[in-house]
Amino acid sequence: MLEARQSEKNENECVTEVYGIIHVTIPQDISNNIYTNTLLLHPSPEYSMSVLDIQYKNQNGECRRIETCPTKQVNNAEVPVEITEAGKLVFSFPKREITELQIKVKQPYWFRHDNKRVFMYGFQDIIVEYREYSQDTAEFVTKFSLEGTDRRFTNVGSPNITTPVGEPTFNDYTAKHELYFDEGLSEKFNFSTDIFQPLQAVYVKTILKTAGDQVPILRELELPYRHEEIIE
């Protein structure tokens, strides 16, 4: 769906940003599943406006914030965190019966036309889905290399995971890592132990597990390590 708006302000008003609320009603008679656990947003224009808050209404008429919408504590109250210059966003959350969505946005960018400031804001796509997965676990292997240098690994720490905005954080159950020194993964080693052999490549197997009906999604895998020069 395309949901876009335009706001024009006279130059002498000196307006530097505008706010909008996109209200979406979810048709209940076109789906065989009353639940939603995924929301996809594609802002228009992309990488310009901010997403301020996302709330939904359930079948009881109660308004709730999407659980994985970023928040912070202010004066003992939970308030949403602004997602600035938003690109495509995916929000994954426990299944909910959603009948309406309310998305609050801010547009601080404009272009001039006929002595007016023209603000554009909206979405190319707003998609609500219920995703089901056939597997409870998934795994992949990442190679970290110092090859092509005169350095070797002396210690490899446990990886740090960064999640995208709108995704639940990982814990020891949903993400595990294993360390190997060969591509064939023939022997597992412990993280954060000293390495004495001239090792220039390590392999990290990442194992992801579902938590309820939520599937972990990661953005970045960062490997802390120490190294030193190889002495011939």
Side-chain angles (χ1 to χ4, degrees):
M1 63 173 293
L2 174 63
E3 186 69 27
R5 295 288 183 269
Q6 176 176 309
S7 178
E8 297 182 358
K9 303 294 181 182
N10 292 324
E11 279 280 9
N12 57 15
E13 295 181 57
C14 296
V15 176
T16 60
E17 59 191 23
V18 297
Y19 294 79
I21 297 177
I22 308 298
H23 188 95
V24 180
T25 300
I26 312 299
Q28 299 299 300
D29 57 351
I30 62 173
S31 174
N32 58 4
N33 195 326
I34 64 173
Y35 293 110
T36 297
N37 63 6
T38 307
L39 170 64
L40 296 90
L41 300 178
H42 187 180
S44 177
E46 199 168 358
Y47 304 114
S48 67
M49 66 182 192
S50 295
V51 176
L52 302 178
D53 196 10
I54 306 173
Q55 297 196 14
Y56 68 91
K57 184 179 290 186
N58 59 27
Q59 289 190 327
N60 295 326
E62 300 168 322
C63 288
R64 296 284 188 272
R65 178 172 292 116
I66 293 291
E67 284 87 341
T68 51
C69 188
T71 59
K72 61 183 178 181
Q73 291 291 322
V74 177
N75 297 327
N76 296 321
E78 187 177 74
V79 299
V81 173
E82 178 179 345
I83 304 172
T84 59
E85 299 181 348
K88 294 180 181 179
L89 299 170
V90 179
F91 294 86
S92 177
F93 45 88
K95 65 181 182 182
R96 296 288 182 259
E97 298 180 31
I98 295 179
T99 60
E100 298 178 30
L101 280 172
Q102 186 180 83
I103 307 168
K104 297 181 180 180
V105 300
K106 179 181 76 173
Q107 178 56 278
Y109 297 104
W110 72 88
F111 63 89
R112 289 183 174 88
H113 180 70
D114 290 339
N115 295 318
K116 293 184 177 181
R117 295 181 180 182
V118 180
F119 297 82
M120 301 291 295
Y121 63 93
F123 294 92
Q124 294 185 41
D125 279 309
I126 301 175
I127 301 173
V128 293
E129 296 179 336
Y130 181 72
R131 293 184 174 181
E132 292 184 283
Y133 297 87
S134 58
Q135 301 290 332
D136 293 330
T137 62
E139 60 183 52
F140 61 91
V141 177
T142 307
K143 179 182 179 181
F144 295 89
S145 175
L146 294 174
E147 296 166 338
T149 74
D150 59 353
R151 301 281 175 173
R152 72 175 186 89
F153 289 102
T154 60
N155 192 290
V156 175
S158 183
N160 300 314
I161 290 178
T162 302
T163 58
V165 173
E167 297 299 324
T169 57
F170 289 84
N171 55 44
D172 292 339
Y173 174 79
T174 53
K176 295 182 183 296
H177 306 283
E178 297 175 354
L179 176 64
Y180 298 87
F181 293 167
D182 68 301
E183 189 173 5
L185 312 182
S186 60
E187 184 178 359
K188 185 169 64 173
F189 292 87
N190 294 325
F191 289 102
S192 301
T193 57
D194 291 335
I195 302 171
F196 298 102
Q197 62 195 90
L199 197 67
Q200 289 192 295
V202 297
Y203 300 83
V204 176
K205 178 194 287 187
T206 300
I207 304 167
L208 304 179
K209 293 184 179 181
T210 59
D213 62 347
Q214 287 188 274
V215 175
I217 298 175
L218 62 84
R219 184 180 69 184
E220 186 177 68
L221 191 68
E222 181 182 86
L223 188 72
Y225 66 89
R226 296 201 304 269
H227 61 83
E228 68 177 15
E229 185 177 348
I230 297 175
I231 301 176
E232 300 292 342

